Amino acid sequence: MARNSSHSTGLRVQLPLLCFLLQAAIIILFSFFVQYNHETDSALWHHSNHSALDNDFYFRYPSFQDVHTMIFIGFGFLMTFLQRYGFSSIGFNFLLSAFSLQWSTLVQGFLHSFHEGKIYIGVESMINADFCTGAVLISFGAVLGKTSPVQLLLMSLLEVTLFGVNEFILLNLLGVKDAGGSMTIHTFGAYFGLVVSRVLYRSHLDKSKHREGSVYHSDLFAMIGTIFLWIFWPSFNSAPTNTGDGQHRTALNTYYSLGASTLSTFALSALLSREGKLDMPILESKFKVQDTCGVHNLHGMPGVLGALLGALVAGLATHQTYGDGLESVFPLIAEGHRSATSQAVYQLFGLFATLVLASLGGGIGGLLLRLPCLSSPPDSQCYEDQIYWEVPLEHEDEVQEHLRSEDTETQA
Amino acid sequence: MARNSSHSTGLRVQLPLLCFLLQAAIIILFSFFVQYNHETDSALWHHSNHSALDNDFYFRYPSFQDVHTMIFIGFGFLMTFLQRYGFSSIGFNFLLSAFSLQWSTLVQGFLHSFHEGKIYIGVESMINADFCTGAVLISFGAVLGKTSPVQLLLMSLLEVTLFGVNEFILLNLLGVKDAGGSMTIHTFGAYFGLVVSRVLYRSHLDKSKHREGSVYHSDLFAMIGTIFLWIFWPSFNSAPTNTGDGQHRTALNTYYSLGASTLSTFALSALLSREGKLDMPILESKFKVQDTCGVHNLHGMPGVLGALLGALVAGLATHQTYGDGLESVFPLIAEGHRSATSQAVYQLFGLFATLVLASLGGGIGGLLLRLPCLSSPPDSQCYEDQIYWEVPLEHEDEVQEHLRSEDTETQA
Amino acid sequence: MARNSSHSTGLRVQLPLLCFLLQAAIIILFSFFVQYNHETDSALWHHSNHSALDNDFYFRYPSFQDVHTMIFIGFGFLMTFLQRYGFSSIGFNFLLSAFSLQWSTLVQGFLHSFHEGKIYIGVESMINADFCTGAVLISFGAVLGKTSPVQLLLMSLLEVTLFGVNEFILLNLLGVKDAGGSMTIHTFGAYFGLVVSRVLYRSHLDKSKHREGSVYHSDLFAMIGTIFLWIFWPSFNSAPTNTGDGQHRTALNTYYSLGASTLSTFALSALLSREGKLDMPILESKFKVQDTCGVHNLHGMPGVLGALLGALVAGLATHQTYGDGLESVFPLIAEGHRSATSQAVYQLFGLFATLVLASLGGGIGGLLLRLPCLSSPPDSQCYEDQIYWEVPLEHEDEVQEHLRSEDTETQA
């Protein structure tokens, strides 16, 4: 039966081969190029006789751990709402993240912090690696259930690379500020994934329709992911900002914004839903991606909106509001290199560049994933753990029963 | 059928209206009164040329995030033990918290830190807002399953306000120390909720008896909440205390006290339960509130006990024990304004005031919630997600089946 | 029926008695010997007029809380994969941890920090207590499902004591460095537990075979544990290391090592498993201990490997690599008391000592647990919550049904 064949999903040969190749390449590149920075290298740190307190570790590690929880628990469990796809949601989330965090350290290192042939790493590298992984997981949400792990790894390889390029263009070339990763993470991740999903369009996906729903307990698992993403969002936004008032203010703003958004979401959910009932998935269903508009609503539109607001804020920035802090928020304005209006235009151009790069990248990614040598799950086996995982018997039985009843229906 | 009618729970009109009104009021009040404090405002912070390290953010944010996890994951999942009420437990917990943290920032700001017409906020505001939310969630535990989200929001509106008043009386007027929130959080939240529950007493609640139990996996979800509450309790108690030895000592004491309590709880559970078996809910069942004694045991009694011990400790406070640290623990004693005995009397009076205010407030709150215009779930539909939420089909089918069998029984 | 008899598991009398005795002994010993250290004692801290920032709390508490999450959520949920043993896995994990963290504070205090008749405690005591608890939980994994809580508590009493002795020999007598607890935690915990399990060998354990499997949702609960253990491993390894570059470097190394290991694990899982499918338990099944090789693979072998690598690293340590930091990593080499080679030999001897002590201790522990007065679950009731816990009716019904069908089979 095709359903049980490992060939159809490339697990037997392609996946191990790809994993080993990628990991070997990473190890070789790390050994040639990656070095401890002055805060993680024993000799360098002790040489300059710092107080332990000055080490960036104490300013950023607690926030990093919250971000790390969001990536692995938050995104991982968020996607468990599908009734038969919990293992894959968590497992592939795990696999893609483990790869992306390593690969993005190299890509970001080459592009942002390559000094005299070396990449110097510390806690900020970890935060940035997790951020890039976040963008990959947003795209993962757009193709969830319809792609094999081999396809997903290749998508990540491409996306991480282009993420680095886009970030380089925005932050280094255009001098754009990207608070909360509106453009580099949310907009880029969403539209890259949406275009991939578009290129992979399946006209007969309705054959897997019955597996797209959730079950009671799968929704509770998804709530674990949802809430961890929600509670640690202040850490996500504040982890990379300037120490002192910057981190503090960002965390505070995110905290109250989330509260206000939640109340509004409940109101809208009750107002708009059938029979006036609340829809648990309304908080998380945005990731239901058969029509992929989920990712669009949850990351694409908010990312674009955030970018537009960012441009507006830049256009209104004055010395009066920020005082001497303007230097750390909009240094180019503070130093007189740009007017506030000019900064706003650059912000808008950054958004435009992001949309272009994400769309082109997603298009190339989608075509890559359609290569005939890469098998993908058949239309009738989407959203199904059993083609990838050893599923405990109890559940497997149910699946078999379901498949038998389908067969009978088809014959009738 | 009444069961499916949104009218009966006020979801279609009352909930969206109330949410929008409350959120609009909050936004207007925030825009008029709330300002960044000197540690979150860019101009103020940079003006005084601080070291980033001095920012209170680094002393309190990690503890805050633990508290935040307790509020949303801890309380949220703790209440999922009911077999058909997981969505509501987590969802309403989410809604009430998102509202309460905003509203309490305003109430506490007006009462505690209103300077020249402005409320200045920072990480301590977030901790205090989460603490007040904790009291609301304790009360929520006492009425869980028997109240609509509209009723719960109104209860929160009143309770947050009175919580602020009570805190003002205790901390500002009486000069009382309230370690771990024994009085302001646990005692206040428990008795407020218990009195509300009493006023809302339903003589025919046995019609929903069959939904009060747990199922195997719902108990495991509840354990997620229980354990997150347990492990982060040291952060909860130490988050607001004085920096340095104060936070350190409080976390340490809580850590060892929890260990000792757990061993004793297991012993008592084995000793007292039927057939000598351990009762998983024994660790969490305190929140089962058909008889509401749950909240009484878990927060009410311990809160009162903690308050009495606090009075005892105050009465025994000497310069010898605390050294120069007495200033930060009992400043009024250290500065000679009060004797230790006098402080103890004030502590007792604080407990008395808390009990009076919680009872009066709960009484008013209960009467408010009985207003005819506020619909509440019928006796036969308590502890049931389906009247509020779109429940996945699988589970809904089970419910329908159950209801059909009930009908048959009734007719027979 | 024997199955429902509390006598058979010692819950009615032995468990409460043992809990009360142990807790009473702990309280008495704490009151005689345990004191706040200079960072938690109000008088001592304020006397020396420190800046709040210098308090070790701010260097270690966030990492401690991650470790604490690993112990209670990580280990607790990791072991929920068994279909009928979720309450016991989480509950006994809770009980053993609550006891071990207290007892190990005393044992480690007497052996490591006993000054003028007193044990002085602070945040490092909490971290060390949680570490020792980790070793106990590794051993718990080796006997999971086959031992009563009374047996487990006695095992913990012995293991915590010997853990302290082993640590004393390695760190104080041999001057060994034990990065990440390779020897003291992983190797010791694994081989202690494996020898206990060996001594308790049951030839008829196949009678409980049908309960050893997982079910779909139990595997998802186990993933909660697995992922929390994974994401917080950098905190686990860095929590006790030297402040500054030491903590920073350790967290960084662990982060990237975990990424690389995960990619390799997926590759191996796909390569080796039946039909080329991934095996969800492959990430966690190491804890399936009917053959106990699980703990061996997950902690025993890696612990030994880590110890050997540690010896290698010590043998290659030079001033050139570490600079002035050598003092904090290998002080005996830096101060000229030992050559690098000599340090390497000591490291190897430390591993040998750990294996000997763990095996002897496990042997004694196993014999202790076989004492006739200690009842253990019958062969046919292993991996079964129902003999210890009040299980919700729904699940209990299933169990009864299963038992009835077994009876019928036996009769036929």
Side-chain angles (χ1 to χ4, degrees):
Chain A
M1 294 178 288
R3 160 169 53 88
N4 276 327
S5 160
S6 61
H7 176 71
S8 68
T9 54
L11 286 194
R12 175 61 99 196
V13 177
Q14 290 181 354
L15 183 63
L17 202 68
L18 185 61
C19 285
F20 281 132
L21 275 178
L22 290 174
Q23 190 57 53
I26 287 170
I27 288 174
I28 291 167
L29 289 168
F30 259 68
S31 65
F32 274 101
F33 295 111
V34 176
Q35 296 273 320
Y36 294 126
N37 71 10
H38 68 282
E39 300 200 320
T40 45
D41 183 86
S42 177
L44 289 176
W45 180 258
H46 286 271
H47 180 68
S48 46
N49 226 336
H50 291 288
S51 151
L53 267 172
D54 296 331
N55 199 300
D56 212 28
F57 184 76
Y58 303 103
F59 290 95
R60 302 201 184 275
Y61 187 72
S63 301
F64 160 73
Q65 275 297 19
D66 292 348
V67 172
H68 211 42
T69 305
M70 293 171 78
I71 295 295
F72 286 87
I73 293 282
F75 278 102
F77 279 87
L78 181 65
M79 307 197 204
T80 55
F81 64 89
L82 290 168
Q83 55 183 293
R84 302 175 192 280
Y85 209 61
F87 289 9
S88 302
S89 299
I90 299 173
F92 298 162
N93 187 88
F94 203 4
L95 174 65
L96 298 188
S97 302
F99 164 69
S100 299
L101 66 87
Q102 296 179 78
W103 183 242
S104 71
T105 298
L106 288 165
V107 171
Q108 295 182 327
F110 284 124
L111 289 168
H112 295 300
S113 57
F114 199 59
H115 299 302
E116 300 175 10
K118 297 291 176 188
I119 295 164
Y120 294 91
I121 61 171
V123 67
E124 285 200 71
S125 320
M126 294 156 70
I127 292 171
N128 287 328
D130 267 31
F131 278 180
C132 176
T133 301
V136 172
L137 296 179
I138 290 170
S139 302
F140 174 40
V143 296
L144 185 72
K146 302 174 295 189
T147 38
S148 75
V150 172
Q151 290 179 305
L152 291 168
L153 269 178
L154 290 173
M155 184 188 86
S156 307
L157 179 67
L158 178 67
E159 182 170 1
V160 166
T161 311
L162 293 178
F163 176 95
V165 172
N166 185 52
E167 205 181 41
F168 180 74
I169 294 173
L170 264 65
L171 307 190
N172 297 34
L173 300 188
L174 298 178
V176 157
K177 282 297 235 182
D178 185 39
S182 304
M183 289 182 271
T184 56
I185 301 172
H186 297 283
T187 305
F188 184 84
Y191 291 104
F192 185 98
L194 288 167
V195 174
V196 170
S197 182
R198 177 81 199 192
V199 176
L200 297 180
Y201 182 73
R202 292 163 180 260
S203 51
H204 297 294
L205 194 56
D206 55 332
K207 288 187 184 170
S208 290
K209 197 82 192 168
H210 56 284
R211 289 193 201 88
E212 273 187 298
S214 59
V215 293
Y216 194 72
H217 279 166
S218 74
D219 266 341
L220 288 182
F221 280 111
M223 286 310 292
I224 297 175
T226 308
I227 294 181
F228 270 110
L229 285 175
W230 196 92
I231 57 175
F232 288 156
W233 217 265
S235 300
F236 188 91
N237 283 347
S238 65
T241 53
N242 292 312
T243 54
D245 64 303
Q247 285 193 310
H248 200 158
R249 188 170 57 249
T250 307
L252 190 81
N253 286 343
T254 311
Y255 174 81
Y256 287 109
S257 306
L258 284 167
S261 309
T262 302
L263 219 62
S264 311
T265 302
F266 267 88
L268 283 172
S269 174
L271 198 64
L272 300 177
S273 74
R274 174 165 74 86
E275 294 178 37
K277 284 191 198 178
L278 296 165
D279 198 348
M280 180 58 87
I282 200 86
L283 302 166
E284 78 209 19
S285 69
K286 316 307 185 186
F287 264 93
K288 285 185 182 170
V289 290
Q290 65 276 25
D291 67 348
T292 68
C293 93
V295 168
H296 189 245
N297 284 345
L298 190 55
H299 295 282
M301 287 303 295
V304 171
L305 192 65
L308 294 176
L309 284 175
L312 185 68
V313 167
L316 298 173
T318 62
H319 270 285
Q320 203 184 339
T321 318
Y322 289 90
D324 296 343
L326 186 61
E327 174 65 33
S328 60
V329 183
F330 293 112
L332 294 174
I333 303 179
E335 293 159 12
H337 297 302
R338 281 184 191 168
S339 67
T341 313
S342 163
Q343 178 69 34
V345 172
Y346 274 97
Q347 297 283 135
L348 289 175
F349 191 66
L351 173 61
F352 176 72
T354 300
L355 289 169
V356 169
L357 205 64
S359 305
L360 280 177
I364 296 167
L367 292 173
L368 176 74
L369 266 53
R370 290 179 63 176
L371 285 179
C373 62
L374 297 178
S375 43
S376 63
D379 286 348
S380 63
Q381 295 296 320
C382 288
Y383 319 116
E384 173 58 58
D385 270 341
Q386 215 199 352
I387 55 171
Y388 305 114
W389 302 88
E390 298 287 345
V391 173
L393 209 64
E394 176 216 44
H395 187 256
E396 196 167 337
D397 280 349
E398 288 170 18
V399 175
Q400 300 291 351
E401 199 164 74
H402 194 274
L403 290 166
R404 268 197 303 277
S405 73
E406 278 185 321
D407 289 351
T408 319
E409 275 169 42
T410 314
Q411 289 168 11
Chain B
M1 293 180 290
R3 161 170 53 87
N4 276 326
S5 159
S6 61
H7 175 71
S8 68
T9 53
L11 286 194
R12 176 59 101 198
V13 177
Q14 290 182 356
L15 183 63
L17 202 69
L18 186 60
C19 284
F20 281 131
L21 275 178
L22 290 174
Q23 191 57 54
I26 287 170
I27 288 174
I28 291 167
L29 289 168
F30 259 68
S31 65
F32 273 102
F33 294 112
V34 176
Q35 297 272 320
Y36 294 126
N37 72 11
H38 69 282
E39 300 199 320
T40 45
D41 184 85
S42 176
L44 289 176
W45 179 259
H46 285 272
H47 180 67
S48 47
N49 225 338
H50 290 289
S51 151
L53 268 171
D54 295 332
N55 200 300
D56 212 27
F57 184 76
Y58 302 103
F59 290 96
R60 303 200 185 275
Y61 187 72
S63 301
F64 160 73
Q65 274 297 18
D66 292 347
V67 172
H68 211 42
T69 306
M70 294 170 78
I71 295 295
F72 286 87
I73 293 283
F75 278 103
F77 279 87
L78 181 65
M79 307 196 204
T80 56
F81 64 89
L82 291 167
Q83 55 182 292
R84 301 175 192 279
Y85 210 63
F87 290 10
S88 302
S89 300
I90 298 174
F92 298 162
N93 187 87
F94 203 4
L95 174 64
L96 298 189
S97 302
F99 164 69
S100 299
L101 67 88
Q102 297 179 79
W103 183 242
S104 71
T105 298
L106 288 165
V107 170
Q108 296 182 327
F110 284 124
L111 289 167
H112 295 299
S113 56
F114 200 58
H115 299 302
E116 299 175 12
K118 296 291 176 187
I119 295 165
Y120 294 91
I121 61 171
V123 67
E124 285 200 70
S125 320
M126 293 156 72
I127 293 171
N128 288 327
D130 267 31
F131 278 180
C132 175
T133 301
V136 171
L137 296 178
I138 290 170
S139 302
F140 174 40
V143 296
L144 185 72
K146 302 174 295 189
T147 38
S148 75
V150 173
Q151 290 180 305
L152 290 168
L153 270 178
L154 289 173
M155 184 189 86
S156 307
L157 179 67
L158 177 67
E159 182 170 0
V160 165
T161 312
L162 293 178
F163 175 95
V165 171
N166 186 51
E167 205 180 39
F168 180 75
I169 294 173
L170 264 64
L171 307 190
N172 297 35
L173 300 188
L174 298 178
V176 157
K177 283 297 237 182
D178 185 39
S182 304
M183 290 183 270
T184 56
I185 301 172
H186 296 282
T187 305
F188 185 83
Y191 291 103
F192 186 98
L194 288 166
V195 174
V196 170
S197 182
R198 177 81 199 191
V199 176
L200 296 180
Y201 182 74
R202 290 163 181 261
S203 50
H204 296 294
L205 193 56
D206 55 333
K207 289 187 185 172
S208 290
K209 197 82 191 170
H210 56 285
R211 289 193 200 87
E212 272 187 299
S214 58
V215 293
Y216 194 72
H217 279 165
S218 74
D219 266 340
L220 288 182
F221 280 111
M223 285 311 290
I224 297 175
T226 308
I227 294 181
F228 269 110
L229 285 175
W230 197 92
I231 58 175
F232 288 157
W233 218 265
S235 300
F236 188 91
N237 283 347
S238 65
T241 52
N242 292 312
T243 54
D245 64 302
Q247 284 194 311
H248 200 159
R249 188 170 57 249
T250 307
L252 189 83
N253 286 343
T254 311
Y255 175 80
Y256 287 108
S257 307
L258 284 167
S261 310
T262 301
L263 220 60
S264 312
T265 303
F266 267 87
L268 283 172
S269 174
L271 198 65
L272 300 178
S273 73
R274 174 166 74 86
E275 296 178 33
K277 284 191 197 177
L278 296 164
D279 197 349
M280 180 59 86
I282 199 87
L283 302 167
E284 77 209 20
S285 68
K286 317 307 185 183
F287 264 92
K288 285 185 182 171
V289 290
Q290 63 276 24
D291 68 346
T292 68
C293 92
V295 169
H296 189 245
N297 284 346
L298 190 56
H299 294 282
M301 286 304 294
V304 170
L305 192 65
L308 294 175
L309 283 174
L312 185 67
V313 168
L316 298 174
T318 62
H319 270 284
Q320 203 183 339
T321 318
Y322 289 89
D324 295 345
L326 186 61
E327 174 65 34
S328 59
V329 183
F330 293 111
L332 294 174
I333 303 179
E335 293 158 13
H337 297 303
R338 282 185 191 167
S339 67
T341 313
S342 162
Q343 179 69 33
V345 172
Y346 274 97
Q347 297 283 135
L348 290 176
F349 190 66
L351 173 61
F352 176 72
T354 300
L355 289 170
V356 169
L357 206 64
S359 306
L360 279 178
I364 296 167
L367 292 173
L368 176 73
L369 266 52
R370 290 180 63 177
L371 285 180
C373 62
L374 298 177
S375 42
S376 62
D379 286 347
S380 63
Q381 295 295 320
C382 288
Y383 318 116
E384 174 59 58
D385 270 342
Q386 213 199 353
I387 54 172
Y388 305 114
W389 303 89
E390 298 288 345
V391 173
L393 210 63
E394 177 216 43
H395 186 255
E396 195 167 338
D397 280 349
E398 288 170 18
V399 174
Q400 299 291 350
E401 200 164 73
H402 194 274
L403 290 167
R404 267 198 303 276
S405 72
E406 279 186 319
D407 289 352
T408 320
E409 277 169 40
T410 315
Q411 287 168 12
Chain C
M1 293 179 291
R3 161 168 53 87
N4 275 327
S5 159
S6 61
H7 176 69
S8 69
T9 53
L11 286 194
R12 175 61 100 199
V13 177
Q14 290 181 354
L15 183 63
L17 202 68
L18 185 61
C19 285
F20 281 131
L21 275 178
L22 290 174
Q23 190 57 54
I26 287 170
I27 289 173
I28 292 167
L29 289 168
F30 259 68
S31 65
F32 274 102
F33 295 111
V34 177
Q35 297 273 319
Y36 294 126
N37 72 10
H38 68 283
E39 300 199 322
T40 44
D41 184 86
S42 176
L44 289 176
W45 179 258
H46 286 271
H47 179 68
S48 46
N49 227 336
H50 291 288
S51 151
L53 267 172
D54 296 331
N55 200 299
D56 211 28
F57 184 76
Y58 303 102
F59 290 95
R60 303 201 184 275
Y61 187 71
S63 301
F64 160 72
Q65 274 296 18
D66 292 347
V67 172
H68 211 41
T69 305
M70 293 171 79
I71 295 295
F72 286 87
I73 294 282
F75 278 102
F77 279 87
L78 182 64
M79 307 196 205
T80 56
F81 65 89
L82 292 168
Q83 55 184 294
R84 302 177 192 280
Y85 210 62
F87 289 9
S88 302
S89 299
I90 299 173
F92 298 161
N93 186 87
F94 203 4
L95 174 64
L96 298 189
S97 302
F99 164 69
S100 299
L101 67 87
Q102 298 180 78
W103 183 242
S104 72
T105 298
L106 288 165
V107 171
Q108 295 182 326
F110 283 124
L111 289 168
H112 295 299
S113 58
F114 199 58
H115 299 301
E116 298 174 13
K118 296 292 176 186
I119 295 165
Y120 294 91
I121 61 170
V123 68
E124 285 200 70
S125 321
M126 293 156 70
I127 292 171
N128 288 327
D130 267 32
F131 278 180
C132 175
T133 302
V136 172
L137 296 178
I138 289 170
S139 303
F140 175 40
V143 295
L144 185 72
K146 303 175 293 189
T147 38
S148 75
V150 171
Q151 290 179 304
L152 290 168
L153 270 178
L154 290 173
M155 184 188 85
S156 307
L157 179 67
L158 177 67
E159 183 170 1
V160 166
T161 311
L162 293 178
F163 176 95
V165 171
N166 185 53
E167 205 180 40
F168 180 75
I169 294 173
L170 264 64
L171 306 189
N172 297 33
L173 300 189
L174 298 177
V176 156
K177 281 298 237 181
D178 185 41
S182 303
M183 290 183 269
T184 54
I185 301 172
H186 297 283
T187 306
F188 184 84
Y191 291 103
F192 187 98
L194 288 167
V195 174
V196 169
S197 183
R198 177 82 199 191
V199 176
L200 296 181
Y201 182 73
R202 291 162 180 260
S203 51
H204 296 295
L205 193 56
D206 56 333
K207 288 187 185 172
S208 290
K209 196 83 191 167
H210 56 284
R211 288 193 201 88
E212 272 187 299
S214 59
V215 293
Y216 194 73
H217 280 165
S218 74
D219 265 341
L220 288 182
F221 280 110
M223 285 311 290
I224 297 175
T226 307
I227 294 182
F228 270 109
L229 284 175
W230 196 92
I231 58 174
F232 288 156
W233 217 265
S235 299
F236 188 90
N237 283 347
S238 66
T241 53
N242 292 312
T243 55
D245 64 303
Q247 284 193 311
H248 200 158
R249 188 171 56 250
T250 307
L252 190 82
N253 286 342
T254 311
Y255 174 81
Y256 287 109
S257 306
L258 284 167
S261 311
T262 301
L263 220 60
S264 312
T265 302
F266 267 87
L268 283 172
S269 174
L271 199 64
L272 301 177
S273 74
R274 176 165 71 87
E275 296 179 34
K277 284 190 197 178
L278 296 165
D279 198 349
M280 179 60 86
I282 199 85
L283 302 167
E284 76 210 21
S285 68
K286 316 307 185 185
F287 265 92
K288 285 185 182 171
V289 290
Q290 64 276 25
D291 67 347
T292 67
C293 92
V295 168
H296 189 245
N297 284 346
L298 190 55
H299 294 282
M301 287 303 295
V304 171
L305 192 65
L308 294 176
L309 283 175
L312 185 68
V313 168
L316 298 173
T318 62
H319 270 285
Q320 204 184 339
T321 318
Y322 288 90
D324 295 345
L326 186 61
E327 174 66 34
S328 60
V329 183
F330 293 111
L332 294 175
I333 303 179
E335 293 159 13
H337 297 303
R338 281 184 191 168
S339 67
T341 314
S342 162
Q343 179 70 34
V345 173
Y346 274 97
Q347 297 283 136
L348 290 176
F349 191 66
L351 173 61
F352 177 72
T354 300
L355 289 169
V356 169
L357 205 63
S359 306
L360 280 179
I364 296 168
L367 292 174
L368 176 73
L369 267 53
R370 289 179 65 176
L371 285 180
C373 61
L374 298 178
S375 42
S376 63
D379 285 347
S380 63
Q381 295 297 318
C382 287
Y383 319 116
E384 174 59 59
D385 269 342
Q386 213 197 355
I387 55 172
Y388 305 114
W389 302 88
E390 298 287 344
V391 174
L393 209 63
E394 177 217 42
H395 187 256
E396 196 166 340
D397 279 349
E398 289 170 17
V399 174
Q400 300 290 352
E401 201 163 73
H402 194 274
L403 291 167
R404 268 198 303 276
S405 72
E406 279 186 319
D407 289 351
T408 319
E409 276 169 41
T410 314
Q411 289 168 13

